[in-house]
Amino acid sequence: QVQVVESGGGLVQAGGSLRLSCIASGLPSDDYGMGWFRQFPGKEREGVACITWSGDSSYYADSVKGRFTISRDNAKKVSLQMNSLKPEDTAMYYCAAAQTLNCRRGLPTFSDIGFGYWGQGTQVTVSS
């Protein structure tokens, strides 16, 4: 059985930092790209950052470039360092893993996850 678990969300003041972690256990193979999505109230889930299964390439949404950094410790652990946080970053953040993820030329969409796996989400709230 596969489990994807996020942690590290919370309440932070504008300009502060948070570090999100994701652990994917029970994956059937090591060739899974992994990424972070976020969902604002009343809107569709959108890609934030993505990293290849080998960790040799990553991609970021324009809104977070220069502030967020995705890293991969191994085939099953990924982190998202978030600096200079803004109130507009407030959202539910989700981790996903899938063999079909393309993390070299652009961000994946929700449907790109396909038969991959999702975490339960962790809330990030940035106050003014």
Side-chain angles (χ1 to χ4, degrees):
Q1 58 185 24
V2 176
Q3 289 185 305
V4 179
V5 181
E6 309 100 327
S7 63
L11 175 64
V12 65
Q13 295 182 356
S17 299
L18 285 173
R19 186 177 181 86
L20 306 184
S21 296
C22 175
I23 299 176
S25 61
L27 292 174
S29 63
D30 291 335
D31 60 339
Y32 277 69
M34 296 180 67
W36 290 93
F37 291 70
R38 66 185 179 185
Q39 188 166 22
F40 305 108
K43 298 184 178 179
E44 296 182 344
R45 198 171 297 180
E46 62 184 44
V48 175
C50 185
I51 191 166
T52 60
W53 67 269
S54 62
D56 65 346
S57 185
S58 59
Y59 210 94
Y60 298 89
D62 289 340
S63 60
V64 306
K65 287 181 179 178
R67 300 189 297 119
F68 291 10
T69 302
I70 189 170
S71 59
R72 189 160 195 162
D73 293 337
N74 52 51
K76 304 181 185 303
K77 297 181 180 180
V78 171
S79 297
L80 184 69
Q81 179 66 44
M82 305 185 295
N83 298 326
S84 302
L85 284 163
K86 305 174 181 179
E88 51 262 45
D89 293 318
T90 296
M92 183 71 74
Y93 284 72
Y94 297 88
C95 179
Q99 289 179 304
T100 56
L101 286 185
N102 178 4
C103 302
R104 292 184 171 87
R105 296 179 291 179
L107 290 169
T109 64
F110 177 85
S111 61
D112 287 334
I113 301 303
F115 297 102
Y117 307 95
W118 288 97
Q120 82 290 345
T122 184
Q123 178 68 38
V124 172
T125 302
V126 184
S127 62
S128 301

